[in-house]
Amino acid sequence: MGSGQTVAVYGAYGHTGRFVVARLRDRGFVPVLSGRDADKLKVLAYESGLEARPASVDDPASLDRALAGASAVINSAGPFATTAAPLIEAALRAGIPYVDVAAEIEANVDTFTHFTERARAAGAVVVPAMAFYGGLGDLLTTAAMGDWTTADEAHIAYGLSSWHPTAGTRAAGAVSRQRRDGRRVRFANGRLEYRHDEPPTLEWPFPDPMGPRAVIGEFTMADVVTVPSHLSIPEVRTYMTVEAARDLSAPDTPAPTPADDSGRSAQTFLVDVVVRSGGSERRAVARGQDIYAVTAPLVVEAVDRILTGRTRTTGVASAGEIFDAPDFLRALSPHLSLDLRP
């Protein structure tokens, strides 16, 4: 448990940030609230009784003040193309671990590209995409691999009942589209490929209770960065149920609304991972409620394991590389229903 250790949360007043703050407190940590909007921080500090430290990513001194005395920092403020690098720099200056919940493919690539050598040389820990997208898929894929050292292909299918995007999701998506010049991206032949054609639509055989559903093929998420960063798999494909993809693209889809006392929405999800090697196939499945809410136990479990030394490496590392994937997933059993069959 957190034992009163202080963890700075950047973007604490955001939709996901609030879940993260609540989960940190549940685990015995003391969150320090930070972010760009001083007024929103003031309100959250009043509501929670926690300390607020406003900081801007273009003001390194303010970031240093925000992280002073903290044991770790969680960045939940997108677009991460803007926030990740300055927060990582501040964490390196402070000598503390950095963990974020970035689902932006290019922002995660930037983290691996620009900080791998520096973080390793400093013995620092930087974990990007420790969230529903990027982190969970990587953990499930790693668990499914079991004792395989290589595989031919990995498929990560997202069965979402709906997708009511937050303002942060929409802002991050806009940045990613701009960086890609409107192209779509996939991971094939061992690298990211940018394409102008339309993604395929196909049927995915989700396990019960969902069953076969129409999905957008090559609906590419952060898993195409996290999984290949440490697993030898040249083809990594992600899929999204058609209904959820339509929700995300529609400009009038409302933001998520609470459906229970914890603030979770009524959205349900099923993540189906299939790894193939030669003629063999392995599978891992996770079921749960609210993709934004479940990010909080993921990222807080990561921080707890980093601070208690339950890690396998240093430097920039994805969830599946730095943690014991099956053990990590089992620790999430109150929040996820799992079927791991390596």
Side-chain angles (χ1 to χ4, degrees):
M1 302 297 286
S3 302
Q5 290 175 291
T6 299
V7 176
V9 182
Y10 196 77
Y13 46 75
H15 185 82
T16 301
R18 285 175 174 266
F19 284 118
V20 171
V21 169
R23 184 61 184 161
L24 282 168
R25 300 186 85 172
D26 289 344
R27 293 290 298 268
F29 292 99
V30 179
V32 170
L33 314 176
S34 191
R36 294 162 285 197
D37 193 317
D39 291 336
K40 290 181 180 179
L41 281 176
K42 187 176 181 180
V43 171
L44 184 57
Y46 177 78
E47 294 172 350
S48 63
L50 296 168
E51 181 184 1
R53 300 179 186 174
S56 173
V57 293
D58 58 7
D59 182 356
S62 72
L63 294 176
D64 291 343
R65 290 192 294 271
L67 272 54
S71 298
V73 58
I74 296 173
N75 181 9
S76 62
F80 294 89
T82 301
T83 65
L87 261 294
I88 295 171
E89 293 282 4
L92 291 173
R93 290 194 298 272
I96 61 175
Y98 166 95
V99 186
D100 71 33
V101 298
E104 299 163 42
I105 292 169
E106 289 77 17
N108 289 316
V109 170
D110 288 346
T111 296
F112 279 99
T113 300
H114 299 306
F115 291 100
T116 292
E117 291 185 8
R118 287 180 56 197
R120 185 183 297 119
V125 171
V126 174
V127 184
M130 193 63 241
F132 179 78
Y133 295 117
L136 180 56
D138 183 29
L139 289 165
L140 290 167
T141 304
T142 305
M145 285 280 287
D147 58 356
W148 288 355
T149 57
T150 64
D152 299 324
E153 55 194 52
H155 302 268
I156 304 167
Y158 290 101
L160 274 56
S161 63
S162 62
W163 189 353
H164 289 202
T166 64
T169 295
R170 290 195 182 280
V175 169
S176 290
R177 286 190 297 274
Q178 184 179 32
R179 292 188 70 176
R180 298 174 195 168
D181 294 325
R183 298 170 296 172
R184 69 180 184 89
V185 61
R186 70 174 187 174
F187 187 85
N189 304 307
R191 61 185 179 87
L192 292 174
E193 297 179 350
Y194 288 86
R195 303 168 64 95
H196 290 283
D197 59 338
E198 291 296 316
T201 300
L202 60 148
E203 185 176 86
W204 184 266
F206 288 102
D208 293 334
M210 180 167 285
R213 297 284 292 275
V215 297
I216 305 296
E218 299 176 6
F219 190 97
T220 305
M221 304 305 294
D223 313 279
V224 301
V225 179
T226 56
V227 171
S229 73
H230 69 105
L231 295 176
S232 179
I233 308 177
E235 306 285 329
V236 180
R237 305 292 174 90
T238 59
Y239 309 80
M240 181 65 65
T241 44
V242 167
E243 297 86 353
R246 287 173 180 163
D247 284 345
L248 178 64
S249 63
D252 57 349
T253 301
T257 56
D260 61 25
D261 292 340
S262 70
R264 295 185 304 174
S265 72
Q267 177 200 51
T268 58
F269 62 80
L270 189 158
V271 185
D272 186 23
V273 173
V274 176
V275 181
R276 298 189 179 114
S277 180
S280 300
E281 179 177 290
R282 291 177 172 179
R283 197 169 200 168
V285 179
R287 301 172 179 85
Q289 179 181 343
D290 194 328
I291 64 173
Y292 296 107
V294 81
T295 287
L298 278 160
V299 73
V300 174
E301 181 69 21
V303 167
D304 186 78
R305 288 177 179 244
I306 293 167
L307 294 179
T308 54
R310 291 177 289 163
T311 54
R312 293 179 161 181
T313 188
T314 58
V316 181
S318 69
E321 180 180 13
I322 196 169
F323 304 118
D324 179 329
D327 184 66
F328 191 109
L329 289 165
R330 285 191 290 268
L332 300 174
S333 59
H335 311 279
L336 290 173
S337 172
L338 296 167
D339 183 4
L340 305 178
R341 290 173 286 171

